[in-house]
Amino acid sequence: MVTPYDLVFLHRDADTEDSGPRLAEVNSAFAEARVAGVPVVPVQETEAWLLTDEQAIRDVVGRPSGKTPLGLPKLQRIEAAKQPKEILARACVAASESSGKRLRRVRRDFGLHRSTLLERLDPDGPVSSLPSFQRLVKDTTTAVQACLGGRAHSGENGAIFRT
């Protein structure tokens, strides 16, 4: 199969603390399609990466100076936290320090808040300490180097980078 793309990123949440099976699934898809690819596999759910920055959560809901505790897991425990999407939703509600109509709006706009947090995610910020994010950065760097150098390379987790 010939593809018009030099590099494909395929996102799949691990849905567990063990990203190995999901990485194997994604890499198998790359091999079958015969495309150069980088697996984007957050441990648990993508929202886990968004739990790393309390200030960003406060900013996105419009309460940058808020003081209410958000109930976020410690950085070293984020990838072990179950249901990061629900944790993030509760953190947005807590950060809003709202009630009534404004609280309903914060709950309704959760998808927008999540999207904004993803757009603003600082790759050099706290998320850079999470192993799944470190793997993404390393695989992306390796893949880009392989594309630029015109060679095939296999990444640490089995990702196939071909040009």
Side-chain angles (χ1 to χ4, degrees):
M1 168 194 250
V2 176
T3 176
Y5 309 106
D6 293 322
L7 187 60
V8 175
F9 288 79
L10 180 58
H11 170 265
R12 293 278 290 153
D13 288 340
D15 294 328
T16 180
E17 284 183 62
D18 181 8
S19 62
R22 191 66 80 204
L23 287 167
E25 174 188 319
V26 170
N27 289 324
S28 176
F30 288 144
E32 185 177 320
R34 302 187 69 187
V35 298
V38 175
V40 181
V41 182
V43 170
Q44 300 291 355
E45 301 169 331
T46 304
E47 288 79 9
W49 290 350
L50 305 179
L51 298 175
T52 60
D53 192 340
E54 180 176 327
Q55 187 59 53
I57 294 169
R58 292 184 190 284
D59 290 346
V60 81
V61 298
R63 292 277 196 241
S65 300
K67 301 295 181 208
T68 300
L70 304 188
L72 299 175
K74 294 194 180 302
L75 193 57
Q76 62 271 28
R77 297 292 305 149
I78 284 177
E79 291 189 325
K82 304 293 184 220
Q83 301 179 319
K85 184 183 291 184
E86 286 76 10
I87 295 170
L88 181 61
R90 287 191 304 269
C92 286
V93 165
S96 75
E97 299 179 348
S98 301
S99 60
K101 186 186 268 188
R102 179 160 162 48
L103 177 59
R104 285 190 296 279
R105 187 171 45 242
V106 168
R107 287 185 174 135
R108 180 196 70 209
D109 291 344
F110 174 67
L112 176 62
H113 297 318
R114 182 179 57 203
S115 179
T116 302
L117 286 165
L118 278 169
E119 289 173 7
R120 294 179 182 175
L121 186 64
D122 178 3
D124 297 318
V127 72
S128 67
S129 68
L130 298 181
S132 64
F133 194 81
Q134 292 170 354
R135 184 181 57 246
L136 171 62
V137 170
K138 185 174 185 175
D139 286 351
T140 300
T141 301
T142 301
V144 169
Q145 289 171 344
C147 284
L148 294 174
R151 66 186 193 283
H153 182 76
S154 179
E156 182 177 305
N157 67 41
I160 300 169
F161 312 120
R162 283 193 196 102
T163 56

